């Protein structure tokens, strides 16, 4: 029983370690669609970008566009 419990803890730790809500750095550029799907990280990225507007970071642009996409809703033109 203890063996199964320890195995479950180890597996859970490994699986959940990849689920962090870390803000991507400028070398890990995320697309707009990714920021639409991750609103909490998007908000954190926009805050970080506003704190340092002189930094050239493509994630800032993508997060801002994702915020606009999320605000206006799905594209209805086809």
């Amino acid at each position: 029983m203890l063996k199964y419990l320890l195995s479950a803890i180890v597996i859970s730790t490994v699986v959940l370690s990849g689920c962090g809500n870390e803000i991507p750095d400028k070398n890990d550029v995320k697309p707009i669609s990714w920021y639409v799907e991750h609103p909490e990280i998007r908000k954190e990225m926009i805050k970080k970008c506003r704190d340092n507007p002189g930094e050239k970071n493509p994630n800032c642009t993508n997060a801002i566009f994702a915020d606009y996409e999320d605000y206006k809703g799905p594209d209805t033109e086809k």
Side-chain angles (χ1 to χ4, degrees), residues 4-74:
Y4 293 115
L5 179 61
L6 290 175
S7 296
I9 291 172
V10 170
I11 291 171
S12 298
T13 304
V14 170
V15 170
L16 292 176
S17 67
C19 298
N21 287 339
E22 296 183 18
I23 298 175
D25 64 7
K26 60 182 171 183
N27 296 323
D28 181 23
V29 178
K30 301 292 185 187
I32 295 170
S33 59
W34 188 88
Y35 281 107
V36 170
E37 295 170 3
H38 298 87
E40 292 302 318
I41 299 173
R42 178 178 74 222
K43 289 175 189 174
E44 290 177 31
M45 177 57 75
I46 291 172
K47 182 181 182 304
K48 178 183 174 187
C49 297
R50 288 186 176 147
D51 286 345
N52 190 6
E55 179 183 3
K56 292 184 179 181
N57 185 342
N59 281 313
C60 290
T61 304
N62 291 349
I64 291 168
F65 274 101
D67 204 44
Y68 175 72
E69 288 290 320
D70 196 34
Y71 171 75
K72 76 173 185 142

Side-chain angles (χ1 to χ4, degrees), residues 69 72-78:
E69 288 290 320
K72 76 173 185 142
D75 191 9
T76 56
E77 293 182 33
K78 296 220 175 187

